[in-house]
Amino acid sequence: MTTETESLQTTLAAEHAAVYVYGLLGSRTSQTAEAPLYLALRAAYEAHRERRDSLIGEIAALGATPEPAAPAYTPPAGLDSPDGRYAAALALEKGCAATYAALVGYTTGARRAEAIGFLNDAAARELSFRGTPEAFPGDAR
Amino acid sequence: MPARPTAAPRVGRRTAVLGLAAGVLLAGCDHGDDIGKPNATATTTADASADPSPSAREQTADERLVDEVVGGLDGAIAVLVAARRHRELRPVLTPLLKAHRQHVEALQGEATETPAATPASYEDVQHSERRLQAALVEAAGKAESGALAKLLASMSASVTQHLDALPKAA
């Protein structure tokens, strides 16, 4: 059975990947010619970086060793076009939402409240990457 | 972790039809991959001969929570139905109404009959949805079952998305 700490580690792994991919997407996006996408990517990058750092602290406080980032990540497809970058960012945020939804199920109290906040934030962020409202964000059914 | 329910499969007052919520309630603190598979879980957690009728025992905390949430969803649906009487609002509000009907189905196993509604404005809808979103967040935090918490949190995120997608003024 998955423990709360294991679920936090899974979430941390997702944050490491998100920070990498958002950084990559941002580096391929023009700050002037694609300003809306650039700003959305930058906001996402900063939010996930902050969350990653917070999770590292939480996991360490539980007496566990926070999972390090992977040595390398496979870049998403479609980086060469704005449409491709929108799609990659949306897919990434949907993946994060699913991770947060799982974290909600494995946690209680303040940590669950935090996970619910993460999920709501990811759901809202999906819209900035051309996502559309769903009935069950983060919960494939 | 929340306590795992140990009693027989229970059906809430409103859940005469065993729907997804029953699977959620039977799933205990597991995270919810078993939502929608109530039978598999029931054989391992419940005595098949036990009387599951509502009159045979009291509701669990999660069953009461589901009832409260469905009541909140019914209220939000009523406001949406009333606001859709303004023809120009229909395209904007229909996706939200569909989502809420899916939410009720997930909790109750079947869509409820839409309650009678009094006239409502676009501002009433926004207010109603914000109140529902807060109630869903609170309910997700209170659920004893992790699977139910996950489902309610997902519903709260759905309302967040729909609220963000609504025009600021109609």
Side-chain angles (χ1 to χ4, degrees):
Chain A
M1 185 176 173
T2 303
T3 65
E4 185 169 287
T5 304
E6 287 168 347
S7 190
L8 286 169
Q9 294 278 28
T10 301
T11 307
L12 175 58
E15 298 298 355
H16 282 310
V19 169
Y20 171 83
V21 175
Y22 277 125
L24 185 62
L25 292 172
S27 72
R28 302 287 185 96
T29 303
S30 166
Q31 190 171 352
T32 50
E34 303 167 81
L37 176 58
Y38 180 84
L39 291 173
L41 289 171
R42 184 181 178 114
Y45 174 81
E46 289 175 356
H48 285 281
R49 188 180 58 184
E50 185 178 325
R51 204 165 290 160
R52 176 201 64 187
D53 294 346
S54 170
L55 282 166
I56 288 172
E58 278 189 56
I59 292 167
L62 290 169
T65 303
E67 290 289 332
Y73 294 91
T74 304
L79 290 178
D80 294 334
S81 73
D83 285 348
R85 290 192 287 275
Y86 269 110
L90 178 59
L92 177 61
E93 207 59 39
K94 281 178 177 281
C96 287
T99 304
Y100 301 144
L103 184 63
V104 168
Y106 285 118
T107 50
T108 57
R111 193 157 283 133
R112 180 187 286 176
E114 183 180 57
I116 295 167
F118 290 171
L119 175 56
N120 273 270
D121 180 67
R125 197 177 302 284
E126 286 176 22
L127 303 186
S128 65
F129 298 122
R130 297 177 175 168
T132 53
E134 304 167 85
F136 300 100
D139 188 8
R141 58 183 56 235
Chain B
M1 297 293 284
R4 178 186 292 272
T6 56
R10 293 178 170 179
V11 183
R13 176 174 56 82
R14 306 178 66 110
T15 53
V17 176
L18 271 175
L20 293 174
V24 170
L25 297 178
L26 286 165
C29 63
D30 290 336
H31 68 89
D33 286 347
D34 45 2
I35 291 174
K37 302 173 187 171
N39 293 339
T41 311
T43 57
T44 57
T45 60
D47 174 3
S49 65
D51 180 356
S53 64
S55 59
R57 49 41 177 196
E58 292 184 6
Q59 282 188 308
T60 65
D62 275 357
E63 287 170 340
R64 286 193 295 274
L65 193 61
V66 166
D67 280 359
E68 286 174 20
V69 170
V70 171
L73 284 163
D74 284 347
I77 288 171
V79 172
L80 283 167
V81 168
R84 283 177 79 248
R85 290 174 183 167
H86 304 289
R87 189 173 293 275
E88 70 279 9
L89 291 178
R90 286 185 183 177
V92 173
L93 300 183
T94 297
L96 189 49
L97 184 59
K98 284 181 179 173
H100 285 338
R101 286 186 169 142
Q102 287 179 264
H103 296 159
V104 172
E105 274 186 36
L107 289 168
Q108 193 167 262
E110 63 179 8
T112 45
E113 188 176 328
T114 303
T118 53
S121 67
Y122 187 66
E123 289 71 28
D124 292 331
V125 170
Q126 291 176 310
H127 180 70
S128 163
E129 292 299 321
R130 279 195 288 269
R131 192 171 51 209
L132 177 65
Q133 198 275 343
L136 287 167
V137 166
E138 185 181 349
K142 283 162 58 175
E144 290 183 359
S145 155
L148 179 59
K150 179 182 173 185
L151 177 61
L152 295 172
S154 176
M155 291 179 186
S156 77
S158 171
V159 178
T160 294
Q161 283 184 330
H162 281 93
L163 270 170
D164 280 7
L166 286 177
K168 298 306 171 205

